[in-house]
Amino acid sequence: MKTLMVFDFDHTVVDDNSDTWVIKCLPGQTLPDSVKNSYRKGYWTEFMGSVMNYIGDQKVSPETVRSVMVTIPFTAGMTDLLTFILDNKSTIDCIVISDSNTVFIDWILHASGLQAAVDQVFTNPAKFNEVGYMEVQCYHSHDCAHCPVNLCKRRVLEGYLSEQFDRGVEYERVLYAGDGGNDLCPTSCLRGRDVVMPRRGFILEKLLAKLEDDASLSAKVIAWSSGTDILQELKASMQE
């Protein structure tokens, strides 16, 4: 029986938001109000399309975007955690479920040399078109009223667990590490022996605290401040 480690990406694996970090590639490192004000709640991917269109309009090359993106810092202790996962692939599967995009996450993981620690990344598809503009699409459509229109992380996690079960892979324990409001929904499909790990001081921790006596949450809650905290819990859970 394996352990499954599930990560959010922004403010979890990396210590910032990759979608806002990209703005550093602009000459003035800022967006005009016309782009900033185009955001509609729940439609972040659509907004990122506008951001990347603006970056393309400023003639910022894909190579320049990449050179900026790979400077985003990993959260403290996270490279040690990913290295441990990489060294224990026979007993740990690892996935990322993120509202970022395939291009950013692929660049950042490859730059770290730790991309092999992650078995699959579930995020919004992105690519550079023939004129050098990055296009971002929604990951999927869904009918969950609690999640952004482009991504329900619970649906992704349930789908992954079901596919793995069909392949004969069952997990002794699932550890889910995240920080944001969109990390709350997938916690409802975790079991009593699973662990949800909210980042200390971030919104997920506050939302989980409100669910303390709620039957929709079965998993144990353990807050984390660094990748070292998650690593300690991962090691402990493997020894139980």
Side-chain angles (χ1 to χ4, degrees), residues 162-198:
S162 175
E163 286 175 15
Q164 289 294 87
F165 183 80
D166 291 344
R167 294 189 185 105
V169 179
E170 284 188 77
Y171 294 105
E172 180 72 33
R173 185 170 280 110
V174 178
L175 280 76
Y176 188 106
D179 70 284
N182 64 354
D183 292 310
L184 182 66
C185 191
T187 66
S188 64
C189 71
L190 299 177
R191 307 153 300 179
R193 62 180 180 268
D194 298 330
V195 184
V196 54
M197 303 194 69

Side-chain angles (χ1 to χ4, degrees), residues 149-163:
V149 66
N150 60 295
L151 177 65
C152 171
K153 293 188 176 188
R154 175 180 52 80
R155 183 171 157 188
V156 172
L157 181 55
E158 287 176 336
Y160 178 81
L161 291 171
S162 175
E163 286 175 15

Side-chain angles (χ1 to χ4, degrees), residues 60-139:
V60 179
S61 70
E63 293 74 25
T64 298
V65 178
R66 185 184 189 285
S67 68
V68 167
M69 292 311 301
V70 298
T71 65
I72 193 168
F74 275 70
T75 301
M78 197 57 66
T79 54
D80 289 341
L81 172 55
L82 289 170
T83 300
F84 177 81
I85 292 169
L86 185 57
D87 291 342
N88 290 273
K89 290 310 294 175
S90 61
T91 52
I92 306 172
D93 287 344
C94 176
I95 63 173
V96 168
I97 310 176
S98 167
D99 208 357
S100 181
N101 65 74
T102 53
V103 169
F104 289 174
I105 293 178
D106 188 58
W107 279 344
I108 293 164
L109 287 178
H110 274 80
S112 73
L114 293 167
Q115 71 277 7
V118 179
D119 298 296
Q120 274 185 265
V121 175
F122 300 92
T123 189
N124 303 298
K127 65 175 184 180
F128 283 91
N129 64 22
E130 63 281 355
V131 291
Y133 283 54
M134 195 176 98
E135 300 170 345
V136 189
Q137 296 175 300
C138 293
Y139 177 75

